[in-house]
Amino acid sequence: MTKKVTKAIFPVAGLGTRFLPATKSIPKEIMTLVDRPLIQYAIDEAREAGIEEFIFVTSRGKGALEDYFDNAPVLEADLVAKGKDELLDVLRSTNMGSGAIAYIRQHKALGLGHAIYCANRLIGDEPFAVLLPDDIITGDKPCLKQMVDAHEETGGSMVAAMEVAPEKAYAYGVLDPEEQVGNLIKVKGMVEKPQTGKQPSNYAVIGRYILTPEVLANLGKFRKGAGGEIQLTDAIADEITQGRPVHGVLFDGERFDCGSKSGYLQATVHFGLERKELRTELMEYLQTVVEKG
């Protein structure tokens, strides 16, 4: 029987240089889509998938990220005194219980694979999830929940995948499919950032994973891959050569790349339009902008 996935790693050690000067003083993961930080979307998705233990791989300067999930007794008392019960509920929904979150430091930026390996002592012999907060995914059923349900049937390692234009495949890890049944792809290989025209498919890996502990052993070899970094994709590909199954899930939903300014702005508009109290005024403004050309 496949072990239940109850732990998740959130790699949040990056400097967020593409969003300077904002990220000079605040972690990128605290930047908001309307009024919720990016990290809150990832945490909520993990909770809905049954995750109980949250492991943050951080770096120097991420204190605001840690504080965000702490209780705010002064603010809570003020909201109680003013009878702002609705806001109080919103505030309390961001609190995490004592011991629910662990923080691990990544001292050197050696790649995503290295960031995941930093948490190896907290994983043990269980499968675990990885969520990249830059990737915000919307849908009727959370992406990670779709993957957890599929993982109960397949076991092994699993990645979220989406089809991208051939000319954009160079920016991703790309699947080499063996066979596909519905939205589940059995993978025979993976390539990190392939040269344009040489990608094995147009199925790109995006920021959701369910991994076996053996992947951590592969990462522990500290082999450098694309860009001179320790690549998570390479460690997952090793699973295939070692005879363990790897699957891709073509998730049902829409993904926004909030690691880019364009994707962040698109996500802001999307979530703004989803809010009933904002939709009408925002839509009127967007229509005005379009009409002006």
Side-chain angles (χ1 to χ4, degrees):
M1 181 180 294
T2 303
K3 289 185 177 180
K4 187 177 179 181
V5 180
T6 61
K7 296 181 179 180
I9 297 174
F10 300 80
V12 291
L15 298 176
T17 52
R18 282 187 284 183
F19 284 87
L20 284 170
T23 48
K24 177 183 178 181
S25 60
I26 62 170
K28 178 181 62 177
E29 298 80 16
I30 293 296
M31 292 176 62
T32 60
L33 295 176
V34 187
D35 53 11
R36 292 172 64 203
L38 295 176
I39 191 63
Q40 186 68 59
Y41 289 89
I43 288 288
D44 290 345
E45 181 181 334
R47 282 170 161 170
E48 291 185 61
I51 299 301
E52 300 170 358
E53 298 181 50
F54 305 80
I55 303 167
F56 283 27
V57 182
T58 69
S59 60
R60 182 180 296 275
K62 297 286 184 172
L65 181 62
E66 298 182 17
D67 290 343
Y68 173 76
F69 290 107
D70 203 349
N71 290 355
V74 174
L75 181 54
E76 286 193 22
D78 183 70
L79 294 176
V80 169
K82 294 177 179 177
K84 296 184 177 180
D85 295 338
E86 187 172 332
L87 284 177
L88 185 63
D89 290 340
V90 171
L91 179 65
R92 287 175 172 169
S93 71
T94 68
N95 296 344
M96 301 289 282
S98 298
I101 295 182
Y103 297 96
I104 300 292
R105 282 285 184 98
Q106 182 188 25
H107 297 298
K108 295 182 179 180
L110 301 178
L112 175 59
H114 179 260
I116 302 304
Y117 183 77
C118 288
N120 76 92
R121 293 184 181 180
L122 298 180
I123 296 301
D125 61 352
E126 303 174 39
F128 60 98
V130 176
L131 296 91
L132 307 189
D134 279 356
D135 281 330
I136 301 296
I137 304 172
T138 67
D140 294 334
K141 186 177 183 180
C143 177
L144 187 61
K145 175 58 176 172
Q146 296 176 46
M147 295 175 67
V148 166
D149 291 347
H151 185 262
E152 292 178 356
E153 302 296 328
T154 66
S157 291
M158 181 170 286
V159 300
M162 60 180 286
E163 193 166 6
V164 298
E167 64 272 16
K168 294 184 178 181
Y170 73 91
Y172 298 88
V174 176
L175 303 182
D176 187 359
E178 180 176 331
E179 63 177 352
Q180 180 176 344
V181 178
N183 69 334
L184 194 64
I185 302 171
K186 186 176 181 181
V187 180
K188 63 180 180 181
M190 297 176 67
V191 181
E192 180 66 27
K193 295 180 172 60
Q195 294 182 18
T196 301
K198 295 186 178 181
Q199 66 269 22
S201 74
N202 295 331
Y203 292 134
V205 177
I206 60 96
R208 301 291 185 273
Y209 308 80
I210 295 177
L211 305 174
T212 66
E214 287 79 12
V215 171
L216 294 172
N218 297 335
L219 290 172
K221 298 172 185 176
F222 300 115
R223 290 178 299 145
K224 293 183 178 180
E229 297 183 334
I230 299 169
Q231 297 289 351
L232 178 58
T233 300
D234 294 340
I236 299 172
D238 287 346
E239 290 291 277
I240 300 169
T241 61
Q242 293 162 5
R244 288 183 285 272
V246 174
H247 289 85
V249 174
L250 294 170
F251 62 91
D252 183 17
E254 184 175 4
R255 173 251 190 177
F256 296 95
D257 177 12
C258 291
S260 71
K261 292 177 182 177
S262 176
Y264 179 80
L265 291 172
Q266 291 170 30
T268 299
V269 172
H270 172 87
F271 286 102
L273 291 174
E274 282 199 335
R275 298 281 286 271
K276 292 180 180 179
E277 73 275 21
L278 302 175
R279 180 178 176 82
T280 299
E281 189 172 349
L282 180 56
M283 182 66 78
E284 290 174 352
Y285 172 73
L286 293 172
Q287 289 174 342
T288 300
V289 172
V290 171
E291 290 170 0
K292 287 182 178 179

